Amino acid sequence: MRWLTPDEQHAWRSFVRLQERLGGRLSRLLQTESGLSAADFAVLVNLTDVPEGRQRYQDLARALEWEKSRMSHHIARMAGRGLVVRQECPEDGRGAFVVITEAGRTAIKAAAPLHVEAVRELFLDHVTPAELRVLGDVSERVVNKLDEDAS
């Protein structure tokens, strides 16, 4: 067993605290200001990033790191609010797409500027450009390794 050194433990625990507190604060602000949950926002962002605003259920679940049941339940709730629709896949009778609606596009357009301002105020305004580059590089390297291991 390789235990964490004091420096590693400090860095890891600080990272986890940052992630939890920042995520929680951003989620509360998003919900209060736009009525969207962090999960709603994540789904809508992913759908606006792909052509035609539609993505296969399984690809969206993989991108969000969600279990199949969580994906299904959450998309059903969003569909009930008119933010997305489920669309059957004509080439694959078992597959389906999640498609953003006009109401979903309107919601994300209203929420995105509020979210960006909160990200700036709570995070970006407190790091230097050099720190931001290092954070981006480290994050990308770890995500690439996680993706590689998942394949």
Side-chain angles (χ1 to χ4, degrees), residues 79-139:
R81 292 171 31 226
L83 300 172
V84 298
V85 293
R86 177 188 165 95
Q87 187 179 77
E88 297 303 319
C89 178
E91 301 88 33
D92 177 4
R94 296 174 301 158
F97 291 97
V98 179
V99 184
I100 192 169
T101 63
E102 281 308 311
R105 288 188 188 283
T106 299
I108 193 73
K109 283 180 187 172
L114 303 168
H115 180 72
V116 169
E117 187 55 39
V119 168
R120 286 193 177 288
E121 182 181 313
L122 298 172
F123 181 71
L124 295 174
D125 290 349
H126 307 286
V127 296
T128 67
E131 290 168 331
L132 199 56
R133 279 190 297 281
V134 169
L135 179 62
D137 291 345
V138 169
S139 298

Side-chain angles (χ1 to χ4, degrees), residues 42-57:
V43 168
L44 294 174
V45 165
N46 272 272
L47 292 176
T48 58
D49 284 348
V50 294
E52 301 175 19
R54 69 185 209 147
Q55 198 168 15
R56 283 183 164 280
Y57 260 78

Side-chain angles (χ1 to χ4, degrees), residues 28-38 40 81 83 107 111 114:
R28 285 189 300 279
L29 287 170
L30 189 62
Q31 182 73 49
T32 301
E33 299 293 325
S34 70
L36 294 176
S37 69
D40 295 337
R81 292 171 31 226
L83 300 172
L114 303 168

Side-chain angles (χ1 to χ4, degrees), residues 13-88:
R13 287 183 176 178
S14 295
F15 169 74
V16 169
R17 263 192 320 276
L18 166 70
Q19 185 181 25
E20 290 170 346
R21 289 192 183 160
L22 184 60
R25 182 79 55 90
L26 288 170
S27 293
R28 285 189 300 279
L29 287 170
L30 189 62
Q31 182 73 49
T32 301
E33 299 293 325
S34 70
L36 294 176
S37 69
D40 295 337
F41 189 79
V43 168
L44 294 174
V45 165
N46 272 272
L47 292 176
T48 58
D49 284 348
V50 294
E52 301 175 19
R54 69 185 209 147
Q55 198 168 15
R56 283 183 164 280
Y57 260 78
Q58 65 207 34
D59 295 337
L60 185 55
R62 193 175 306 115
L64 296 171
E65 295 276 339
W66 286 4
E67 302 263 336
K68 184 179 177 182
S69 63
R70 178 182 181 189
M71 185 73 189
S72 183
H73 289 297
H74 194 80
I75 295 304
R77 287 191 299 274
M78 289 181 73
R81 292 171 31 226
L83 300 172
V84 298
V85 293
R86 177 188 165 95
Q87 187 179 77
E88 297 303 319

